[in-house]
C-alpha cells in the first residue's frame, strides 16, 4: 500500500552515497554466507574505487590475499556484473574460493594489493569476543565424528562461534564452545539437536575470568578446570577479576520491589533509578556476567509476569572473591563438574550439587562419599550407603563373640574394597545431573 509514493520519496530525500571511483579501492565487509560450490560469498559496500573479476585484493584484518572470481548485485538474487563502483552494495566471491567462514570478519576492510600503503582501514572493526562458554560431549563416543561434522557445518555460517577440542576423564572427548551470549548458545544447541539429530551433553554456561599475576601478567581463563587452585592463588596471584555488565531494566512501577530484590540477590550494585513515564521505571544495575547467564532473564520475566525488558552492555572486569567449586567422588575430582563462583554461593550451590548428584549415582559394594570442594575446604557432603550382605543371618543370637568377629571381618573387607574400588559413573548420570 502506497509503495508507489514511498519509493520515490526515499530516492528524493535520502542522500546518495558519496565516494570517488578513481580513488584507491576501499571495501567494507557487511555480511557473508557459505556456498558449497563457490566457498564464502561476501556482501560488501564499496566506499571508494572500483572492483571487478580478476582483481587482487587484500584483507586488513587477516592479511590474506585473494583473486576476485565474480562481482554482482542482489537483484534480488545474485546477479553478476562486470564492475562494482563506489557507493554500490553487492557481493563478491573469490577464485580459488575462500574456504573458511572465519576468514570473513564482519567490519573488515579490503583493498587492492598494490594500494595497501595508500588506504587506511575503515574505523570501528573489532574482533567478536566470546563471553559465554560451554563444553559439549557426545552421549556415545562412537558418535564423535558425526557430531564433529555437525558442529563444523553450523560454524560455516556462524563464524563467531569459538571451537576448541577438549577431553574429560568422565565424559571422554568433546569440545569447548564459545558464544557471544546465552541466546547465541541456546540457538546453536537447538540447531544441533533439531537439524542434525545430535545427542549431546552440554555443561552449564560459564564466563571468562581474568587472573592478574604478581609479575604483572594478565591471563583470561575460560575453562573452569584451568582455574588456579587455592595454593597458587595465595602464592603467586595479585588479584582475580570477573566480567561485569551494566543492565538497564524497564518495567511497570508495581514490580520495582521484586526486581530490586532479584538484582540485589544476584550481587548487583544499583547505579540509577528514574521514571520514564508516570508508571514506567528505568533501573540500572551493575551485575556480574556470571549471574546473568544463570537464567537471570527467565527469573526477571517470572518476577514481572513478562512485563520487564532487559538491555545490557559490557562494563569491563572488576576484582572479586571468586574460587573454583568442584565435585569429588571418593576424594577423586570429577572434571566434568567444575565451576568458578563467588565465594558467597559456595555452600548453597555445593549442597545442591551433592544432593542432586547422589540421586544419579548407582550404589556400590562400598561406601561412596560425594563432596563439594572449594580449595581445601569441603562445603557440602553426601554419603551413598553400600549394599550390605547379612553375614549374621545363620548365626545363633547368643553367640556374641562370633557375631562381633563376623562384623569386623565384613568391615575390613569393605575398607579394602574401598581402597581399590573405582566408582563407575554412567554418562546418563552426568546427562541427568547437567540437565536444566
Amino acid at each position: 500500500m502506497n509503495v508507489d509514493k514511498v519509493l520515490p520519496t526515499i530516492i528524493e530525500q535520502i542522500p546518495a552515497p558519496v565516494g570517488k571511483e578513481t580513488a584507491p579501492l576501499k571495501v567494507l565487509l557487511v555480511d557473508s554466507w557459505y556456498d558449497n560450490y563457490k566457498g564464502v560469498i561476501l556482501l560488501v559496500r564499496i566506499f571508494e574505487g572500483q572492483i571487478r573479476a580478476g582483481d587482487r585484493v587484500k584483507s586488513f584484518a587477516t592479511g590474506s590475499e585473494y583473486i576476485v572470481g565474480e562481482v554482482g548485485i542482489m537483484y534480488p538474487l545474485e546477479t553478476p556484473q562486470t564492475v562494482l563502483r563506489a557507493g554500490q552494495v553487492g557481493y563478491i566471491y573469490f577464485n580459488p574460493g575462500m574456504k573458511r567462514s572465519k576468514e570473513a570478519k564482519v567490519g573488515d576492510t579490503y583493498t587492492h594489493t598494490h594500494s595497501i600503503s595508500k588506504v587506511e582501514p575503515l574505523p570501528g572493526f573489532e574482533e567478536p569476543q566470546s563471553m559465554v562458554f560451554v563444553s559439549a560431549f557426545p552421549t556415545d563416543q562412537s558418535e564423535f565424528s558425526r557430531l564433529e561434522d555437525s558442529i563444523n557445518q553450523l560454524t560455516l555460517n556462524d563464524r563467531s562461534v569459538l571451537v576448541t577440542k577438549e577431553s574429560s576423564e568422565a565424559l571422554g572427548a568433546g569440545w569447548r564452545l564459545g558464544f557471544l551470549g546465552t541466546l547465541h548458545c541456546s540457538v546453536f544447541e537447538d540447531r544441533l539437536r533439531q537439524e542434525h539429530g545430535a545427542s549431546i551433553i552440554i555443561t552449564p554456561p560459564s564466563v571468562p575470568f581474568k587472573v592478574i599475576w604478581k609479575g604483572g601478567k594478565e591471563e583470561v581463563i575460560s575453562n573452569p578446570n584451568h582455574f588456579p587452585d587455592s595454593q597458587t592463588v595465595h602464592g603467586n596471584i595479585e588479584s582475580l577479576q570477573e566480567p561485569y555488565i551494566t543492565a538497564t531494566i524497564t518495567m511497570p512501577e508495581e514490580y520495582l520491589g521484586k526486581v530490586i530484590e532479584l538484582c540485589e540477590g544476584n550481587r548487583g550494585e544499583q547505579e540509577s533509578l528514574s521514571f520514564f513515564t508516570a508508571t514506567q521505571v528505568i533501573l540500572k544495575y551493575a551485575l556480574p556476567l556470571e549471574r546473568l547467564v544463570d537464567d537471570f532473564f527467565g527469573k526477571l520475566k517470572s518476577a514481572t509476569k513478562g512485563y520487564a525488558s532487559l538491555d545490557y552492555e559490557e562494563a569491563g572486569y572488576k576484582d572479586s572473591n571468586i574460587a573454583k567449586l568442584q565435585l569429588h567422588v571418593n576424594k577423586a575430582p570429577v572434571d566434568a563438574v567444575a565451576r568458578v563462583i563467588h565465594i558467597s554461593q559456595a555452600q548453597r550451590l555445593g549442597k545442591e550439587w551433592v544432593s542432586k548428584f547422589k540421586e544419579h549415582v548407582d550404589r556400590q559394594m562400598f561406601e561412596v562419599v560425594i563432596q563439594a570442594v572449594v580449595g581445601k575446604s569441603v562445603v557440602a557432603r553426601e554419603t551413598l550407603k553400600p549394599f550390605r550382605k547379612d553375614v549374621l543371618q545363620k548365626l545363633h543370637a547368643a553367640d556374641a563373640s562370633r557375631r562381633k568377629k563376623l562384623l569386623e571381618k565384613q568391615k575390613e573387607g569393605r575398607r579394602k574394597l574401598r581402597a581399590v574400588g573405582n566408582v563407575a559413573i554412567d554418562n546418563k548420570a552426568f546427562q541427568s545431573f547437567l540437565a536444566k
Side-chain angles (χ1 to χ4, degrees):
M1 187 175 179
N2 289 329
V3 172
D4 57 333
K5 298 178 182 178
V6 171
L7 293 180
T9 305
I10 292 175
I11 294 171
E12 291 171 7
Q13 296 190 9
I14 296 180
V18 295
K20 295 181 180 179
E21 295 182 15
T22 56
L25 179 68
K26 188 182 287 187
V27 174
L28 174 68
L29 175 57
V30 178
D31 196 8
S32 69
W33 59 92
Y34 189 83
D35 184 275
N36 289 331
Y37 301 101
K38 301 175 182 177
V40 181
I41 300 176
L42 312 182
L43 182 66
V44 297
R45 182 190 166 186
I46 317 299
F47 276 85
E48 305 278 357
Q50 302 179 9
I51 187 170
R52 62 185 76 230
D55 288 356
R56 281 185 168 271
V57 296
K58 187 171 184 176
S59 160
F60 275 92
T62 65
S64 302
E65 295 185 11
Y66 307 93
I67 300 174
V68 178
E70 181 180 289
V71 300
I73 58 173
M74 306 301 291
Y75 191 69
L77 301 177
E78 296 163 13
T79 306
Q81 303 287 305
T82 56
V83 62
L84 289 179
R85 297 182 174 86
Q88 284 189 293
V89 173
Y91 72 89
I92 60 175
Y93 69 83
F94 305 119
N95 187 17
M98 183 186 287
K99 302 300 183 186
R100 298 183 304 161
S101 292
K102 291 188 180 297
E103 294 178 38
K105 300 180 182 293
V106 173
D108 189 10
T109 304
Y110 289 78
T111 188
H112 288 129
T113 52
H114 57 78
S115 304
I116 195 76
S117 59
K118 304 174 186 176
V119 175
E120 288 292 326
L122 294 162
F125 172 73
E126 288 184 8
E127 287 271 11
Q129 298 292 325
S130 298
M131 294 304 292
V132 175
F133 293 85
V134 300
S135 292
F137 301 91
T139 53
D140 183 354
Q141 282 294 311
S142 64
E143 294 289 309
F144 180 86
S145 297
R146 191 174 75 85
L147 184 56
E148 184 175 33
D149 290 340
S150 299
I151 291 174
N152 289 337
Q153 286 180 36
L154 288 181
T155 53
L156 283 176
N157 286 317
D158 193 352
R159 59 204 159 272
S160 57
V161 179
L162 180 67
V163 182
T164 54
K165 289 186 178 180
E166 76 169 17
S167 180
S168 163
E169 291 182 11
L171 297 175
W175 302 267
R176 189 72 177 168
L177 306 176
F179 301 95
L180 301 179
T182 50
L183 179 62
H184 187 202
C185 173
S186 178
V187 169
F188 190 88
E189 180 184 348
D190 289 344
R191 290 188 65 191
L192 266 181
R193 296 185 190 277
Q194 295 169 12
E195 296 178 17
H196 297 268
S199 179
I200 53 176
I201 298 173
I202 298 286
T203 62
S206 62
V207 300
F209 296 90
K210 185 178 286 187
V211 177
I212 300 178
W213 301 88
K214 285 191 175 177
K217 177 186 173 185
E218 295 185 1
E219 182 182 4
V220 176
I221 296 175
S222 60
N223 191 330
N225 289 312
H226 299 155
F227 195 80
D229 57 30
S230 58
Q231 188 174 356
T232 307
V233 169
H234 292 303
N236 303 312
I237 291 176
E238 185 72 31
S239 66
L240 297 170
Q241 297 181 345
E242 64 175 327
Y244 269 69
I245 54 101
T246 300
T248 303
I249 305 170
T250 307
M251 81 216 103
E253 183 187 5
E254 60 188 286
Y255 301 112
L256 180 59
K258 290 183 178 179
V259 173
I260 289 178
E261 185 179 348
L262 175 65
C263 293
E264 295 288 341
N266 284 278
R267 299 192 287 120
E269 300 171 7
Q270 186 174 320
E271 294 185 346
S272 66
L273 172 63
S274 58
F275 280 83
F276 179 62
T277 66
T279 58
Q280 290 286 319
V281 181
I282 298 177
L283 187 63
K284 280 196 174 184
Y285 258 89
L287 287 167
L289 182 60
E290 184 264 337
R291 301 309 304 150
L292 187 75
V293 302
D294 190 19
D295 197 27
F296 179 84
F297 189 61
K299 295 171 185 174
L300 177 65
K301 287 294 184 184
S302 177
T304 60
K305 299 180 181 177
Y307 284 105
S309 64
L310 171 68
D311 186 25
Y312 66 90
E313 57 186 21
E314 295 178 21
Y317 285 83
K318 294 183 181 180
D319 288 353
S320 184
N321 187 12
I322 52 180
K324 179 169 68 174
L325 176 66
Q326 198 160 23
L327 203 65
H328 286 207
V329 177
N330 278 3
K331 297 185 179 180
V334 181
D335 59 353
V337 187
R339 185 172 166 186
V340 178
I341 59 168
H342 192 267
I343 202 70
S344 62
Q345 300 172 257
Q347 196 163 4
R348 176 188 62 81
L349 195 59
K351 287 181 179 178
E352 290 179 10
W353 276 15
V354 294
S355 300
K356 189 176 180 181
F357 201 70
K358 180 183 177 182
E359 298 172 6
H360 303 295
V361 177
D362 296 329
R363 289 178 69 188
Q364 310 287 327
M365 294 300 295
F366 50 90
E367 184 179 76
V368 177
V369 177
I370 303 169
Q371 298 171 314
V373 179
V374 174
K376 294 183 179 180
S377 303
V378 176
V379 294
R381 169 182 167 139
E382 286 282 353
T383 303
L384 194 63
K385 296 297 182 183
F387 290 114
R388 181 171 183 179
K389 180 182 177 182
D390 188 1
V391 294
L392 308 179
Q393 186 177 7
K394 298 181 181 180
L395 189 65
H396 191 274
D399 194 350
S401 60
R402 179 68 177 160
R403 174 189 176 93
K404 185 176 180 181
K405 184 177 179 181
L406 285 173
L407 288 175
E408 285 294 330
K409 187 177 180 181
Q410 184 187 45
K411 186 177 179 181
E412 182 63 28
R414 289 193 188 282
R415 189 180 294 113
K416 289 180 180 178
L417 185 61
R418 184 177 176 184
V420 299
N422 292 321
V423 183
I425 304 173
D426 193 1
N427 264 2
K428 291 182 179 178
F430 287 107
Q431 201 166 359
S432 303
F433 175 76
L434 296 172
K436 296 177 182 178

